[in-house]
Amino acid sequence: MRISVIGCGYLGAVHAACMAKLGHEVIGIDVDPRKVAALEAGEAPFFEPGLPELLKETKATGRLSFSTDMADAAGAQVHFLCVGTPQVHGEFRADLSYVESAFEALKPYLSGGDVVAGKSTVPVGTAENLADRLTGTGATLVWNPEFLREGFAVKDTLHPDRLVYGLPTDDEGVPTAEGDAAKALLDEVYATPLADRTPLVVTDYATAQLVKVAANSFLATKISFINAMAELCEATGADVTRLADAIGYDARIGRRFLNAGLGFGGGCLPKDIRAFMARAGELGVSDALTFLREVDSINMRRRVRVVDLAREVCHGSIVGRRVAVLGASFKPDSDDVRDSPALSVAAQMQLQGAHVTLTDPQAIGNAQAKWPEMKFAATALEAAVDADVVLLATEWQEYRDLDPDALATVVAHKRILDGRNVLDPARWRAAGWTYRALGRP
Ligand SMILES: NC(=O)C1=CN([C@@H]2O[C@H](COP(=O)(O)OP(=O)(O)OC[C@H]3O[C@@H](n4cnc5c(N)ncnc54)[C@H](O)[C@@H]3O)[C@@H](O)[C@H]2O)C=CC1
Ligand SMILES: O=C(O)[C@H]1O[C@H](OP(=O)(O)OP(=O)(O)OC[C@H]2O[C@@H](n3ccc(=O)[nH]c3=O)[C@H](O)[C@@H]2O)[C@H](O)[C@@H](O)[C@@H]1O
């Protein structure tokens, strides 16, 4: 099938390449000419494991191309909307201006029977509004939220945990004839994962939009729950990693997403819970989501706590102290620094008078663009030269594998803060290090 993908960022570029891998003929469209040029040359414009290989493979088939010209979307039967929905500056709500402009730019190129499939994460009500505005075009809107994780984006797109279709429905919640036709087209798009028995939830617009923000809110809540427990552990001398192991054995709770540390960041979880709260307010049900305010606060307190820990190990002040921060991306296996806890803590320390040197295997370029005045180093060992304290802020495998003896040869003081609870305290202490972590002794 011929497919267009509008917006080729972390979501859209992967989606486009994966759709081509599934056998479709795909045109990816983005307003950023540099991104389009890279993708058209078969190069990934950001770091995502497996994407460079997939782009090469699918470009070679001739089924995948990229363009800045929306007119190239004409002729596609399904158009995936994958543009950004960032937080509005100074407010909680989502900025829908990119969705608006992409949608309006696409409209003249739609034909009868086309499907516009929204993938961006949007406030509930957006799909209903866009659907109304398709009247007269003969095209049908569906909401098809995306659940991929950066770092696993290719696998998550080709082998999703589930697919969700939000279709137009009648007053009784039954899909309309257009809804049924749109479902048939999406079933064709996702024929391979559906044949692999990927669970499919077919529902209405409102539910499909809510599923996405509910999922991210649940994940954020799970992380903040364990980080709240970390605060209790800090007050009592308990170990939050053992606590997580113990409660995680209960299948009703589960161990995944119970890693305490610097908390969640990225281009999605933080802005999605805030946009959800803003939307609940507009709908007159803000009380239903007041707990997310606490989820957000617990998360942000972890960033403050790690700066306090640095101060503690430096005998009361970080002014003039050299701090090596290992990790700038919001999670390992990504170069994404949007709302990165690591970068935010590094910046805080710098603003409070420390001399910070930051390193990351993939995200230095993006971090430098955000904080040009920060000092950067290519490796952990270089960053740690003469350091008074080292902070592991993003758990890249190479930082998990660091040798305490090797690192000891370059630092000024053997003090390590484990911001992600991934190092072995006994090993580091045995090597003479002062080891401190979030929520464990
Ligand atoms: N990054 C992720 O892991 C996931 C993101 N999402 C959601 O997907 C959406 C996109 O997120 P990302 O890909 O991370 O953002 P991004 O910022 O990496 O990509 C958005 C892309 O849209 C392009 N764009 C903006 N206006 C356009 C227009 N009028 N026409 C064509 N292209 C346009 C931008 O140039 C950019 O390349 C957001 O709503 C996000 O919440 C959902 C699931 C996973
Ligand atoms: O809507 C989105 O964009 C995506 O947001 C998240 O994916 P992602 O942001 O790529 O990364 P996660 O693996 O969810 O991690 C998010 C943050 O939580 C942190 N985290 C994660 C797990 C954990 O146990 N503890 C913890 O602090 C990570 O370090 C990271 O900063 C969701 O997991 C995806 O399902 C969703 O599609």
Side-chain angles (χ1 to χ4, degrees), residues 279-438:
R279 186 64 186 129
E282 289 167 5
L283 292 166
V285 287
S286 53
D287 285 356
L289 297 186
T290 43
F291 75 97
L292 287 178
R293 238 174 223 285
E294 206 47 52
V295 165
D296 206 355
S297 303
I298 293 165
N299 192 51
M300 298 313 276
R301 279 208 294 274
R302 295 288 78 191
R303 302 181 187 189
V304 176
R305 172 69 183 148
V306 89
V307 180
D308 288 344
L309 270 184
R311 209 173 278 116
E312 270 177 50
V313 298
C314 289
H315 307 298
S317 173
I318 55 170
V319 176
R321 301 303 180 116
R322 290 174 193 274
V323 183
V325 177
L326 313 185
S329 58
F330 82 106
K331 65 186 275 193
D333 297 317
S334 172
D335 65 357
D336 195 345
V337 298
R338 288 178 289 182
D339 202 354
S340 164
L343 191 54
S344 138
V345 165
Q348 261 314 310
M349 291 196 191
Q350 174 98 352
L351 291 170
Q352 292 184 28
H355 299 301
V356 175
T357 305
L358 186 55
T359 185
D360 190 282
Q362 294 293 340
I364 289 179
N366 286 340
Q368 218 155 12
K370 277 214 162 147
W371 283 93
E373 62 275 33
M374 190 97 69
K375 192 173 165 210
F376 292 91
T379 65
L381 276 183
E382 276 177 44
V385 169
D386 292 335
D388 293 302
V389 55
V390 177
L391 165 65
L392 190 160
T394 312
E395 68 276 32
W396 287 90
Q397 191 60 45
E398 63 186 80
Y399 304 153
R400 289 169 174 260
D401 294 341
L402 274 174
D403 175 6
D405 294 321
L407 202 62
T409 61
V410 299
V411 296
H413 293 279
K414 292 195 271 181
R415 299 167 183 146
I416 184 123
L417 307 179
D418 184 358
R420 293 291 177 180
N421 290 333
V422 290
L423 301 176
D424 176 358
R427 181 167 175 233
W428 284 76
R429 287 186 179 128
W433 287 75
T434 298
Y435 171 93
R436 298 293 299 274
L438 292 165

Side-chain angles (χ1 to χ4, degrees), residues 146-150 212 216 219 223 257-259 263-265 268-269 272 330-331 420:
E146 176 57 55
F147 304 95
L148 68 80
R149 299 159 296 168
E150 290 178 26
K212 174 63 199 177
N216 276 2
L219 294 171
I223 298 167
F257 262 68
L258 278 184
N259 295 320
F264 60 82
C268 292
L269 261 44
D272 286 351
F330 82 106
K331 65 186 275 193
R420 293 291 177 180

Side-chain angles (χ1 to χ4, degrees), residues 16 24 46 48 68 91 102 167 184 209 216 229 234 249 282 315 323 329 348 368 377 390 434:
H24 304 298
F46 51 85
E48 178 61 45
T68 52
E91 296 181 45
L167 303 178
Q209 293 163 94
N216 276 2
M229 295 306 107
E234 281 155 17
Y249 282 121
E282 289 167 5
H315 307 298
V323 183
S329 58
Q348 261 314 310
Q368 218 155 12
V390 177
T434 298

Side-chain angles (χ1 to χ4, degrees), residues 49-135:
L51 182 60
E53 296 80 2
L54 184 66
L55 279 171
K56 268 190 195 74
E57 178 192 332
T58 48
K59 281 298 286 174
T61 63
R63 289 197 303 268
L64 178 63
S65 50
F66 294 91
S67 166
T68 52
D69 187 356
M70 192 64 90
D72 291 333
Q77 285 174 276
V78 176
H79 309 268
F80 286 103
L81 276 183
C82 300
V83 298
T85 49
Q87 189 176 338
V88 170
H89 184 72
E91 296 181 45
F92 269 22
R93 71 191 163 91
D95 177 357
L96 291 178
S97 62
Y98 303 97
V99 171
E100 284 292 325
S101 58
F103 179 77
E104 285 303 327
L106 173 66
K107 245 167 70 176
Y109 301 105
L110 295 173
S111 306
D114 282 7
V115 164
V116 177
K119 276 202 137 352
S120 304
T121 302
V122 293
V124 57
T126 307
E128 292 81 346
N129 174 286
L130 298 179
D132 282 348
R133 287 151 56 189
L134 283 184
T135 310

